[in-house]
Amino acid sequence: EKAIDKISSAVKRARTITHQLLGSVRKQEPLVAEVDLDELVTETLQLVHKEAANKEIRISQTREGDPGPIWIDPNQVRQVLINLLTNAIHATGNQGAIEVRIEAGQESTTLIVSDTGKGIPKENMEKIFEPFFSDKPPGEGTGLGLFVTRQIVEKLGGRIEVSSRVGVGTNMKVILPHRDPLKPN
């Protein structure tokens, strides 16, 4: 029975790695649509709510300014948020906190995922976006989440910035440019 459980876990892990790799190399153009980021963030938080609740992690959603609807690929932004939130949940201890903040600007909108987790050591800051880099024990992480996240953000014409302090937490800032749906990219 233990062997079957190990095989099942290995198959799930292989499937996850395969899907993430295929998603990162696929040359698919973003499907741009008018998106309410507040709604998108709320929906995405519901997807990770149970995992956060199991660790008694408080998740809050805040906003500075009103981005209004923006033109972006909602599925790709949702994937970015899921990856960042999953990492934040894994890094944050029981009864910690995560905040998702939307900051509206003239030319771009910024999504910030902040956690009170373990933080990222300076020596790992340059490696976190490399494929297969993970600080999790073997078998617990693919090391593809942040690699895929950066690939998606760059496809959307944005950028991702990270600040972190060991023992304090991490801020992942995704800056997404506003797009004009009438102009080609």
Side-chain angles (χ1 to χ4, degrees), residues 105-163:
Q106 293 285 14
E107 302 294 320
S108 63
T109 297
T110 303
L111 292 169
I112 303 168
V113 176
S114 302
D115 66 56
T116 58
K118 62 185 178 180
I120 303 167
K122 286 182 183 179
E123 63 270 15
N124 290 346
M125 288 294 280
E126 295 298 317
K127 301 176 193 172
I128 62 172
F129 293 107
E130 293 177 8
F132 304 109
F133 176 79
S134 178
D135 65 351
K136 295 175 185 163
E140 289 189 28
T142 64
L144 290 172
L146 289 177
F147 170 72
V148 169
T149 297
R150 184 173 66 183
Q151 297 288 320
I152 292 171
V153 170
E154 288 175 356
K155 276 184 195 175
L156 294 172
R159 68 184 192 280
I160 187 165
E161 299 173 357
V162 182
S163 61

Side-chain angles (χ1 to χ4, degrees), residues 9 23 53 59 92 94 101 108 111 125 131 144 163 165 168 178:
S9 291
I59 299 182
T92 302
N94 289 346
R101 183 174 180 83
S108 63
L111 292 169
M125 288 294 280
L144 290 172
S163 61
R165 288 185 47 208
V168 176
H178 293 174

